[in-house]
């Protein structure tokens, strides 16, 4: 990369054009590197380091954007799916935190495989949220059925059980009320799954 500068000067013999060329290759490369690092830092600020899904900060940003659309009466159809990984504390206590981290990564992959077309957020230690839109919203019952099937198998095999609750946007004034309904149904599901695991 070079930078060219030109200046017209008046001399006795008449006007003369003076041209200078600077090598700015190093400067351009440094600026590009800074831009790349900034973009990477912005991505990292919204990604959960352990699982690779979006983090709570990213969820709050998405919630804020959705709230703006709701206020303008142009929100798309969407649902919030709340998920909670059962027995994480037990795994941490009995087999250690490394095993617990792997348990979370495996659970995250299960969630992402089921909700392929929607953003998945880790919003707490063992809590995840999905904002289901588009294809996942249209096929919501099928997606939830897949989660039920997974849990039925996991209860038999001793695999990862993921409590799940869902609520659809129904003329709510903000995303928070949809979230609360989803959270409530998730805790009901969590209680049922625990009772099934304990053979009650």
């Amino acid at each position: 990369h070079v930078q060219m500068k030109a200046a017209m000067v008046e001399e006795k013999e008449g006007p003369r054009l003076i041209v200078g060329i600077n090598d700015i290759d190093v400067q351009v490369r440094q600026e590009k590197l800074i831009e790349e690092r900034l973009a990477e830092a912005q991505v990292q600020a919204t990604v959960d380091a352990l699982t690779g899904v979006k983090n709570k900060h990213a969820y709050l940003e998405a919630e804020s954007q959705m709230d703006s659309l709701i206020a303008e009466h142009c929100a798309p159809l969407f649902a919030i799916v709340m998920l909670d990984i059962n027995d994480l504390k037990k795994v941490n206590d009995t087999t250690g935190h490394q095993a617990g981290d792997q348990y979370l990564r495996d659970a995250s992959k299960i969630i992402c495989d089921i909700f392929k077309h929607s953003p998945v957020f880790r919003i707490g230690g063992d809590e995840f949220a999905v904002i289901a839109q588009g294809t996942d919203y249209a096929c919501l019952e099928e997606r939830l059925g897949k989660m039920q099937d997974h849990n039925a198998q996991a209860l038999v095999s001793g695999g990862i059980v993921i409590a799940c609750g869902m609520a659809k946007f129904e003329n709510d004034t903000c995303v928070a009320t949809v979230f609360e309904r989803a959270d409530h149904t998730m805790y009901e599901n969590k209680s049922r799954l625990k009772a099934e695991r304990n053979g009650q």
Side-chain angles (χ1 to χ4, degrees), residues 161-178:
V161 176
I162 304 169
C164 179
M166 178 276 294
K168 290 181 178 180
F169 169 65
E170 294 169 349
N171 298 317
D172 296 82
T173 54
C174 62
V175 176
T177 55
V178 187

Side-chain angles (χ1 to χ4, degrees), residues 88-163:
L88 177 64
K89 186 179 184 305
K90 189 173 162 187
V91 172
N92 280 333
D93 291 348
T94 56
T95 53
H97 284 273
Q98 275 191 324
D101 287 350
Q102 189 57 51
Y103 194 77
L104 272 171
R105 280 192 287 267
D106 293 344
S108 176
K109 186 180 184 313
I110 293 161
I111 295 165
C112 291
D113 285 348
I114 291 173
F115 297 96
K116 285 180 181 153
H117 307 287
S118 299
V120 176
F121 305 85
R122 184 182 175 206
I123 57 168
D126 55 3
E127 281 196 336
F128 291 76
V130 176
I131 299 176
Q133 290 177 269
T135 307
D136 280 343
Y137 182 87
C139 305
L140 201 50
E141 297 308 319
E142 182 196 324
R143 302 286 188 266
L144 295 171
K146 281 187 177 180
M147 187 57 77
Q148 282 179 344
D149 292 345
H150 163 80
N151 284 335
Q153 288 174 355
L155 284 166
V156 173
S157 65
I160 301 169
V161 176
I162 304 169

